[in-house]
Amino acid sequence: MLIRHTGDYTWEDVPVLAYKEENLTCFKSVTRQVLINAVPQLPCQLRYFEVAPGGYSTLEKHEHVHFVVIFHGEGRALIDGKVHTVKEKDVIFIPSLTWHQFRAGEDSPLGFLCLVAEDRDRPVLPTSEDLTVLRENSSIADFIRS
Ligand code: MN
């Protein structure tokens, strides 16, 4: 099976979806495409997310892990308790139960491929106590959106 790129980071017969189905307001300007669905021999989904300039993904954590490849543009990400600049071709592992958030640059989209297990727990959002702890680090305080 070939899933052909049809230009501008869309793929043949792959719908461009809202980032999350829930009515969450803790993200901005993110789309989601499921490029390959899980099969029994590899029970994972390959997705492509794109955060528009100035947008951000949800600040969240969960038991499941992500393998991420930055695929388009650049931005910043909270990974491993630090804020990193990220750009095309960088590869990221998000371990279990660690806070993560992606932000596009002001003038650049941030698109990334994300491999995730089909059978996974729901993300947890930060409580006000969690935010207080996260904000003890000033670079994280400046970065996070929630
Ligand atoms: Mn996540």
Side-chain angles (χ1 to χ4, degrees), residues 59-124:
L59 173 60
E60 63 180 30
K61 69 176 180 178
H62 36 63
E63 291 273 358
H64 64 272
V65 304
H66 296 305
F67 296 169
V68 172
V69 182
I70 306 297
F71 199 62
H72 182 200
E74 58 187 33
R76 289 180 292 162
L78 172 61
I79 314 159
D80 300 330
K82 275 182 257 169
V83 178
H84 301 264
T85 60
V86 295
K87 63 179 191 320
E88 274 175 34
K89 304 182 182 68
D90 287 342
V91 177
I92 299 165
F93 172 61
I94 303 209
S96 197
L97 295 175
T98 61
W99 294 111
H100 52 282
Q101 183 165 45
F102 292 88
R103 287 181 60 184
E106 286 307 313
D107 301 312
S108 173
L110 181 64
F112 54 93
L113 295 166
C114 179
L115 187 72
V116 72
E118 178 188 38
D119 181 18
R120 57 185 181 270
D121 60 318
R122 311 276 303 167
V124 173

